[in-house]
Amino acid sequence: MRSLVAKLTISFGAVALLASLLTATGARYLVLGFFEEYRIARQVTLLEEGARELASFYREQGGWTGVEQSLSQLFTSFKSEGMHSRGDGSGPPPRYVLRLDLVDAAGARVSGAGPSITAHEEDEVRLRRFPITVQGRQVGTLVASMPARLPFSEAESGFARGITTAALATGLIGTGLAAAMGLMVARRFTAPLHSLGQAADRLARRDLGARAPEEGDEEVANLAANFNRMAAELERQDQLRRNLTADLSHELRTPVTIMRGQLESILEGALEPSPEVLLSLQDEIIRISRLLEDLQSLTRAEAGQLSLHREPRAVESLLADAVTAFGPAYAANGVSLTWHAESDLPPVLIDRDRIRQVIANLLANALRHTPEGGSVSLSASGAGGPWVAISVTDSGEGIPADELPRVFERFYRIEKSRSRSTGGSGLGLAIARGLVEAHGGQIGVESPSEGGTRFIFTLPASE
């Protein structure tokens, strides 16, 4: 039995049935206990009345002479109290008082009524003593021999059976209702799980568009929502993989095509292998090598396999070195490049070469997107707590708002028609993100509607 619906239904019914049996058993013993307490209290009350009657006899007679008849009448009245047939309807009626004895103040037996108690019956008999007082002085004691456990009459047993039967019948009805309710609850609970299972099966068959309805109880709905987020991320990653394959193929096809054409022309004698031609071939090989190195660096960064040699470094020297390295390229394109760092910034704990690469990628990206006469600023400031923020801000055309979430993806270019020569390989920002996150920091981008773009990333300060 593997069905959750069946398990829940049977569990509900079993619990209800067990509760019914316990209720019926408890009700029976509770009722019988009340009956026993009532009968004992009833007999005690009658015996106390009998003791008062014997006290009246003593006052009238001045002693116990002739008390035998009164004691016999008292015992007969107790027999009439118990004149009911037994619970099984057979045998003599139950007797609640087996024998009465009267003893005087000195403890000597005066008289008795009822059959004698045999030796083998003594363990089943309980004696109850009731003092007889006259004018505040005890003149004797009425001793009643009663069964240790009072028998039940037919009416009492019938009533107890009725209680038990009613409890069982109610329990059986409750069991049926509980099973039906369990079935309803189980179906309501498992319906979203069934839908989720179907969506998971579709996802396992590579249907990455499969989604589960986010319905049912809060926990199940949250489970479906988490599944849908996972499926959406898998779909996104699959699309990125497809894009990566297509982009990588495109990036490699262009230089390979150029080299193939030049080599075929040389082999056919249509092109002389001059130094200029050989230099062009070398440039294409260098581009391919650089692309493969970038891919390898990015893959290692995203997999957390980069080897970082962290040392405390002054932020000011990082910015100054970057501006020095990129100054000529910026000057050649008519773009100004400046840097600024807040005073008293703590050193950052970094792998210098990796962070230099991050800054270089951001500055190269800013230069490509800033027109002649524009400006780019490189700055550093405190980011709260043990963090330092470094930003690169340009005055270029900016980035459309709907493109911002994707700028750090592999091979992503804002202008789809941009070539490798003008738009880069499309890996620089992805590599920058991987290197920053490998240091424990974060990187983001802002681009206001009026133009310009600001990239900012954080690095851990050295303690």
Side-chain angles (χ1 to χ4, degrees):
M1 182 183 60
R2 301 179 61 184
S3 171
L4 183 59
V5 174
K7 289 180 179 179
L8 288 176
T9 302
I10 293 176
S11 297
F12 270 76
V15 169
L17 181 60
L18 179 61
S20 301
L21 293 175
L22 292 176
T23 301
T25 303
R28 176 180 176 81
Y29 281 102
L30 188 63
V31 169
L32 296 181
F34 284 156
F35 275 162
E36 180 139 0
E37 291 179 4
Y38 166 76
R39 287 177 299 163
I40 291 175
R42 170 71 173 166
Q43 301 309 311
V44 168
T45 300
L46 294 176
L47 288 169
E48 288 174 346
E49 292 178 0
R52 286 193 291 272
E53 292 177 3
L54 292 175
S56 299
F57 176 89
Y58 187 90
R59 280 194 301 270
E60 293 174 359
Q61 301 297 326
W64 294 118
T65 304
V67 74
E68 291 80 2
Q69 183 177 359
S70 297
L71 191 61
S72 178
Q73 290 176 350
L74 180 60
F75 178 72
T76 302
S77 68
F78 278 105
K79 287 180 65 177
S80 65
E81 282 289 330
M83 290 298 288
H84 307 286
S85 62
R86 291 188 181 276
D88 56 6
S90 62
R95 294 173 57 189
Y96 299 148
V97 177
L98 303 177
R99 177 177 174 81
L100 291 177
D101 289 287
L102 177 63
V103 297
D104 59 17
R109 180 176 178 279
V110 175
S111 180
S116 300
I117 305 299
T118 62
H120 72 275
E121 293 176 335
E122 290 180 355
D123 293 338
E124 300 177 0
V125 174
R126 179 171 54 185
L127 299 180
R128 286 184 175 268
R129 294 175 173 82
F130 300 89
I132 302 172
T133 58
V134 176
Q135 296 179 350
R137 180 173 62 90
Q138 184 172 345
V139 296
T141 301
L142 178 62
V143 181
S145 299
M146 303 176 66
R149 185 174 182 84
L150 301 183
F152 288 99
S153 67
E154 182 181 7
E156 293 166 342
S157 297
F159 182 75
R161 285 195 302 271
I163 292 293
T164 304
T165 302
L168 285 174
T170 303
L172 291 176
I173 295 174
T175 299
L177 293 176
M181 183 177 295
L183 180 61
M184 294 173 57
V185 170
R187 286 181 174 174
R188 180 177 181 275
F189 177 74
T190 56
L193 293 179
H194 181 66
S195 300
L196 182 59
Q198 290 180 327
D201 185 61
R202 290 172 53 197
L203 190 65
R205 294 198 299 269
R206 302 292 298 170
D207 180 5
L208 299 181
R211 298 294 185 270
E214 299 177 15
E215 57 187 17
D217 296 329
E218 180 180 358
E219 294 81 0
V220 179
N222 289 338
L223 178 62
N226 290 334
F227 173 85
N228 290 339
R229 281 195 293 271
M230 178 193 69
E233 180 62 20
L234 286 175
E235 188 175 27
R236 191 182 75 87
Q237 291 296 331
D238 183 70
Q239 186 60 46
L240 289 177
R241 180 185 62 81
R242 294 173 185 271
N243 293 342
L244 172 61
T245 303
D247 291 338
L248 185 57
S249 174
H250 173 73
E251 295 294 334
L252 293 175
R253 183 184 299 113
T254 302
V256 169
T257 301
I258 293 174
M259 289 189 297
R260 179 180 177 181
Q262 290 179 335
L263 289 173
E264 287 178 350
S265 297
I266 291 174
L267 291 174
E268 293 173 356
L271 183 67
E272 290 292 330
S274 64
E276 292 79 7
V277 172
L278 295 179
L279 183 61
S280 174
L281 290 173
Q282 184 184 34
D283 288 342
E284 297 302 328
I285 292 173
I286 291 174
R287 288 183 181 181
I288 293 176
S289 298
R290 195 172 293 162
L291 174 63
L292 295 177
E293 288 175 0
D294 286 347
L295 275 174
Q296 186 178 39
S297 297
L298 179 58
T299 301
R300 287 180 177 176
E302 291 178 342
Q305 296 176 349
L306 278 179
S307 176
L308 299 179
H309 304 285
R310 300 193 186 198
E311 295 176 346
R313 295 288 177 178
V315 179
E316 294 84 356
S317 65
L318 284 174
L319 305 190
D321 291 347
V323 170
T324 299
F326 275 84
Y330 270 72
N333 286 273
V335 179
S336 67
L337 176 61
T338 59
W339 71 274
H340 169 75
E342 290 183 354
S343 58
D344 300 327
L345 284 177
V348 287
L349 188 63
I350 59 171
D351 184 317
R352 184 184 63 175
D353 292 337
R354 303 293 188 185
I355 297 305
R356 277 182 171 179
Q357 185 178 0
V358 172
I359 297 175
N361 288 355
L362 295 179
L363 288 176
N365 181 75
L367 179 59
R368 281 193 298 269
H369 295 280
T370 304
E372 185 177 356
S375 64
V376 175
S377 64
L378 178 62
S379 61
S381 60
W387 297 97
V388 173
I390 298 177
S391 63
V392 175
T393 307
D394 65 57
S395 59
E397 69 271 19
I399 302 174
D402 58 341
E403 303 279 358
L404 287 174
R406 302 190 60 190
V407 296
F408 294 104
E409 294 179 3
R410 299 181 180 191
F411 296 112
Y412 183 74
R413 296 189 183 91
I414 296 174
E415 296 181 21
K416 304 303 180 185
S417 60
R418 191 184 295 271
S419 67
R420 289 183 304 108
S421 60
T422 59
S425 68
L427 293 175
L429 295 180
I431 292 174
R433 181 181 65 176
L435 294 177
V436 169
E437 292 178 350
H439 282 77
Q442 295 180 335
I443 187 169
V445 59
E446 302 170 354
S447 186
S449 58
E450 58 269 18
T453 303
R454 179 174 182 251
F455 285 89
I456 182 170
F457 63 94
T458 57
L459 296 173
S462 176
E463 296 181 358

